[in-house]
Amino acid sequence: MFGLVVVPTPTWYLVLSAVLFSIGAVGVLVRRNPLVMFMCIELMLNAVNLTFVTVGRAMSDINGQAIVFFVMVVAAAEVVVGLGIIVSIMRRRSGVNVDDLTELKG
Amino acid sequence: MISLLAVDPVLNGDLLWTPLLIVVLKVLVVFVTGLVATMLMVWFERKVVAGMGNRIGPNKAGPFGLLQTLADGIKLFFKEDLVPDRADPFVFKIAPFLSFVPAFLSFSIIPLGGDFRGDKGGLVTWFGHTTRVQLADPSIGVLFTLAISAIAVYGIMLAGWSSGSKYPLLGSVRASAQMVSYEAALGLSLAAVILVSKTLSTSGIVIAQSSIGNWNVIATGIVPFFIFFIAATAELNRPPFDLVEAEQELVGGFNTEYSSIRFSLFYLAEFMNTVTMSALMVTLFFGGPQPISFGSTVLDIPLIPNGLEGSVWLFLKTLVFLYTYVWLRATLPRFRYDQLMDFGWKVLIPSSLGWFMLLAAQRLGRNEGWNTIVVTGASVLVLVVCYALLQRSFAVSSKQREAEGSMF
Amino acid sequence: MELFVFVCASVMVLVGALGVIVRKHPVHAALSLVLTLFGIAVLFVAQSAEFLAAVQVIVYAGAIVILFLFVIMLLGVDKAENLQIEPLTGQRWIAGVVGLGMVGLLTTAVVSGSDVLRLRGLGIASSVAGENADANIQQLANSIFSDYVFAFEVTSVLLVVAVVGTVLLARRRTGKGIA
Amino acid sequence: MSIPILTLLVLVPLAGAIVASLLAKSSESMAKNVALVSSIATGLLSVWMLIKFPTGSAGFEFVSKHAWVSEWGISWHLGVDGISLFLVVLTGILFPLVIVGIDPHHDHKQYLVWMLVLESGVMGSFLSLDLFLFFVFFEIVLVPMYFLIGKWGYDQRVYAATKFFIYTMAGSAFMLVGIVATAFLARRDIGHLSFDLIEIAEKSNFAAGTGRWLFVGFVIAFAVKVPLFPLHTWLPDAHTQAPTGGSVILAGVLLKMGTYGMLRFGVYLFPEAAVWAKPVLLTLAVIGIIYGAIAATMQKDLKRLVAYSSVAHLGFIVLGTFALTNQAITGGVMQMVNHGISTGALFLMVGMIYERRHTRVIAELKGIQAVAPIFAGFFTLIMLSSIGLPGLNGFVGEFLVLIGSFATARWWVVAATTGVILAALYLLWAYQRVFHGEPEEANKSFAEITKREAMLLSVFVAAIVFTGVYPKPMLNRIEPSVKSLLEHVESHSNYKQPEIKAGE
Amino acid sequence: MMLAANMFVGPAIDWFKISPLLVMLGGVLLLILAGSLTPQWKQGTYGVVGALTAAGSAVCTAMLWRDLGEGNPSSLLANALSFSKFSLFATFSVAVATLLAILVTSGFLVREGEDGPEVFALILSAAIGGMVMVQANDLIVMFLGLETLSLAFYLLTASSRWRSASGEAGLKYFVLGGFASAFFLYGVALVFGATGSTNVEKIAASLSKDTVLGGSSAMLLAGIALLLVGFGFKVSLVPFHTWTADVYQGAPTPVTALMGSVGKTAAFVALIRVFTVALSSRSDDWRPVVVMLAVLTLVIGSVLAVVQTDVKRMLAYSSISHAGFILVGLVAAGHSASADAGLGTSGALSYLFIYSILVVGTLGIVSVVAGKGDNETSLSAFKGLGKSNPVLAMGMTVLLLAQAGVPLTSGFVAKFGIIRAAVSTESYALAVVAMLAAVIAAFLYLRIMVSMWLSEGAASRDVAATFSVKASIALCVGATLALGFFPSLLLQFTNQL
């Protein structure tokens, strides 16, 4: 209708998710704040979700979406646990920063 | 062809001008309706509360003070826009929009009218196109409202945090905790509605409630409705759940530092939400724009064409809830914070869950052809046992908490 | 038109993702995360996964990021991280190289691999295709409760773990031994 | 044969160890009695076995075979032939002597328990006819030895013990891989998975390359144990730091596990490869002989000197083994026993010196002969045996090795002969420095040999003299087995023993 | 799409065949209910309940094994779980390790005055996760099992609130574990894309059809690589091992035991199953990488172990080295053309079973020596243990020797099985490297033994152990010796795998 009839193929989505995944992974590597590292892990999981949905659609397989549903549950549970741990550390001392956690060095 | 935007969501097919025009028109109508309704709601509330307090209320601007809200709005608009020194400017600025926009969005999926007689199913024909009187009818319908109400938390939370001040922060933390907690109960009572109407789409839910006997308020048993109502009130931060803006404790709550147009956005959002929530309740439990009917007898409002009658019914039904909200505000004292949390977690969530299980058991029994009485008896028995266990565990945990001291 | 949606959503996703890793302040990072999550939700809708889009917003934006913000605000971890100081010499460089390498490899892999995605199964119902608005959800439910019913049950254990675990972390036993 | 005599040889000391370890901590004398009874019983059993052993038999006698890990084709398979016969007897006799004769400084009970475990392991190694079983015993020996050195040794004991353990274990690592590979590769020829030595040796037919690799795997382990140059560096440390009893056992029997293994599991299993590797091994052996001798000459510590002399002596044994002639191998086996006796006795005496003087530094010992003539006499005799004086046991073995090797390894023998001369040099020189001259003040009070010590040493001396004068009974029992071994080698490779005149 | 709700037919459920899982779940629920409905129980009773549950689960598994007999493997619950000797053995292994670890934990909690139901509920949940992983026939089910296991571990690691190292370790474990899970999941997604299924058997079927199809290979290979990275983190292979030492040291000692046994078994069995069943037709692609990882893991694990001064860190690195060993088994199992490839699988499984017992026993003793507060885990804390507590020291010695692979202990049987598998598939060099690494690692065990027996130390440290810990240690030592002397006890089962 606008004269531009380029339709995004699954590849576009897959590349986007690959890039997103990499950004997330780099984030985990460069950031030191556990909360932010944790957010980066969420980015990675989202990239995975996008991949599943895309692949599922490309193959006309609803299971791709079913899997994403489970991944979301896992992500939610992970967050609960992760934040629980962070809070329990914070109750002992303040300022969560991976570099400040130096008791374990070998 | 009915989806999130009432058209093909990603516009894959050929796009014609007429449907587009219809969509634009709908958007305009919904937006304007929303704004006007909010304005009137503010007036309505002030007026009714005043009446209940034996005062007069706004009566200067316009007839019966109807334009008072507009006047206030214009005044606020021209006030200086203050951003506190210690605020996080970017977040501080976008927070009001995060509050205001969701309020409008949830309005978009509410069926605002239509002809539900016979098997028309609320469809109307405009400009040669069959459509619904509703901005969008996504397949995930009610989940959309849940999603939007999830987003609505951000506005309040960020507003409080970005102000860079203690009281707003406390207010916003309270608010978000409250909203997140009650969302669970809200969702569970919604699940009962979905179970009964077998669809997520709002129009589908409305269609399923053809007569009073089919209204979800009755079909789900009255309990989910009450839970929904209470949870919705808490979501709205309306009295008696308005701890967020408890002036006595928190000065003004999350919006203490706001002024001018940004403040008015919060204010509008709150009332907009009230209207939306009332309309939603009507949609979910009271047949929405369906006319009141007993069996095959339909109450028909004279003089109004069938196509518009739905809207009138919706307005009337919603008005009842709006009045109830105002009434509650004028009547009930505020909860204490721990009472609020206890009520949400220990009463609303278990009972909505239990009720949902009961309905599910009934349905399973019906599908499998089991004896209804036995099923009911058994499930009630189970619920009673669960209730006893729950009470026991509350008792034990409170004893333990006394022994151990609380966490924070 | 799908192109338009895709481009907008990808910009949201990428800007958000970059925001997460470059914004100093955790709150800003969290907000960037929300942006990405929305972008993903839009991409879900674009691929006929409406239910997942809704769940995405409810679960991620509505619960997960809220929890993040909660912790950030409640615990006062809101001091900004100084990104000028490198944690380990060269770590950022290495991470950058690793990241670029990953992008390269993964992109090559998916580009060269995506042409083998073949049609199988019954097709995904979207509200576009059928008159039944709930088709997508019903199909999904069928999949979850037949093929993945065991997985579904395992998630319940997973959630139990999360709950019990937080109880464990929150609990304080003052009485040594028998209370 | 109704009594499973070989099984008893392994289990009696083990039973003794278990009983002793279960005794109360305080009852040390009781523990000692238990240890004595079980070790002496083992010794008697071994002697009885020697008597019962049919002279002239070339095959395995007293075989005892029971399934153990049937899933892996592993069995409890023991047997004794001429090659292992005297090593078993040596073990059986040496242990009671050590237990009777040498007391540890502390923790008697534990010491005795470890000694008995060690005896059991050594017996097992010499008797096993199953590759897996052999490896089990070969490895298990490390544990008691580790504790014996580490707990009852001298200043650097932990270092020495660890070095010993790691070196030997690293060697065995290769052997384990070799064993498993052997069994799997032999499976084709045998038809089923089996770790049985005889079955594999007789039926298998490895390709030359494969056999060589496997042989290398085995030989590395044995070379560490022997120790063959250049893998010998653990030995001086272990010997020096070990308690006297440990040193005696280490030199007396443990090192023989390496040379014995080379014969039994190297040459027997991989004849072709043994022939192939001959030059290298002979060279290493000769280097070991000369290097050991030179290094011994340089030592300031008497015990270290004896340790290096062991390196040299064991070089002779390896030389004999890989010369691959009847006489040379027979001589090698003889030498294994002889070295066990004479070096064991030397270590014993060094231990006695240390008990008295609390030093082993040669320079600090002087003129002992003057104050303790009988002691010096014993030392002289044992030393001469070690040098290889004709008429004493050392001569028989060494001479046979040299004569036998001459036909197949002439130039190596020529080089090795210098080792004999060097041995005389360093031992005599050491003797001179320790026993001759005017005793220093500290050595004036050097006590004369006690009755117990004298009795202990007389056993050794008797063996030295008897074997030296009348080696015939030993040779008669060793030779048939050696001969059949070489026949096996000849039939499984293109190697032919050079004709030499019979009747040595 | 006409998918009306009443057309729906759920999969058949054979309740008895999932009874090991159900028993565990019952235990979890019982403990949770007990925790919320009743006041504190008598000390140690929670542990008894947990131990009985694990034992019950083990018994159920044994019964299923017997019933299976020579029967063919099958799958359960809409192909979600596989039901075979392989999965049953691994399940049994997990159950036994759980039982032993619970006994240690019970004594530990009583000593620290922290007895309560939550920890045991978490341990049992972790076991459920582990069992799901080892039985999983579908990568998503496997992932969920993995997450259940991991979440429980994160929480247990952080559960010692009186030690700040515990929380720290929990956080580190959590962040890196989440990172690894994301990799694993992306791998699953790409494999799903390349093969069209997440089901292990369907993947295998799809790949065997397409062996010549070039197009899918890049995506598949990326998927395999990512799966390997994910698994590599979970079983701590070098270079993905960096978390291991910190976490092992920081976690409460019984939890470390649980990680070393249940965690390692579950992750490894899953790894082996994915790579030898689903991806077996691509073994030529992954085997070289696995060989490289195995060598790195063996060597670096052993070398780093030697330089540590804290016993828990030592054991962490030694566990890495052991992981390398097990990986050698995987390499052998990857020779799908060889008739002896099965030896790799059975060897790895026996290794895991034996190692689980060893590690629980060893760390059980460490937890006793660590004393109240769980802090004394440095090497010097073991000084003089041979004098002050010879029985305990003897037990430790047996377990350490077994870890070093000395004959007549179960550890030797384990190593022998792996070497046998490697040799039978002609990976001689790898076998030699593995054995040499074992020798390097032996040095580390010797260091601990030196501390116990050969160094003088503060003799009068209080190292009292409760009955349940003693029982657990005794069981571990007994099993170590029994399996060492009579390997057939184990081999008659693993030979059927």
Side-chain angles (χ1 to χ4, degrees), chain D residues 263-285:
Chain D
L263 262 183
R264 177 74 85 227
F265 298 94
V267 177
Y268 184 44
L269 272 180
F270 311 103
E272 197 277 336
V275 175
W276 164 74
K278 199 175 89 171
V280 179
L281 288 166
L282 288 177
T283 311
L284 290 178

Side-chain angles (χ1 to χ4, degrees), chain C residues 35-172:
Chain C
L35 189 64
T36 302
L37 298 174
F38 265 108
I40 299 275
V42 172
L43 290 173
F44 281 175
V45 172
Q47 304 198 66
S48 331
E50 292 90 0
F51 178 74
L52 288 181
V55 175
Q56 167 94 359
V57 175
I58 294 173
V59 171
Y60 270 113
I64 292 182
V65 182
I66 291 284
L67 270 181
F68 271 118
L69 287 173
F70 229 85
V71 170
I72 296 171
M73 292 178 187
L74 203 63
L75 299 179
V77 210
D78 53 355
K79 64 166 191 242
E81 191 178 337
N82 188 352
L83 290 177
Q84 300 303 314
I85 302 167
E86 269 199 71
L88 288 171
T89 333
Q91 184 177 352
R92 207 158 283 155
W93 277 103
I94 294 168
V97 172
V98 169
L100 281 178
M102 267 177 71
V103 171
L105 284 176
L106 291 176
T107 309
T108 321
V110 295
V111 167
S112 69
S114 53
D115 55 327
V116 299
L117 300 172
R118 283 164 302 244
L119 206 67
R120 61 190 288 283
L122 296 167
I124 294 180
S126 72
S127 46
V128 183
E131 64 275 14
N132 181 355
D134 293 319
N136 174 254
I137 294 156
Q138 284 179 3
Q139 219 180 11
L140 196 57
N142 261 316
S143 172
I144 288 175
F145 288 102
S146 60
D147 284 2
Y148 288 110
V149 67
F150 184 71
F152 186 77
E153 298 303 331
V154 175
T155 53
S156 66
V157 180
L158 188 74
L159 294 172
V160 166
V161 169
V163 172
V164 175
T166 38
V167 169
L168 175 70
L169 290 181
R171 190 149 191 191
R172 183 195 300 164

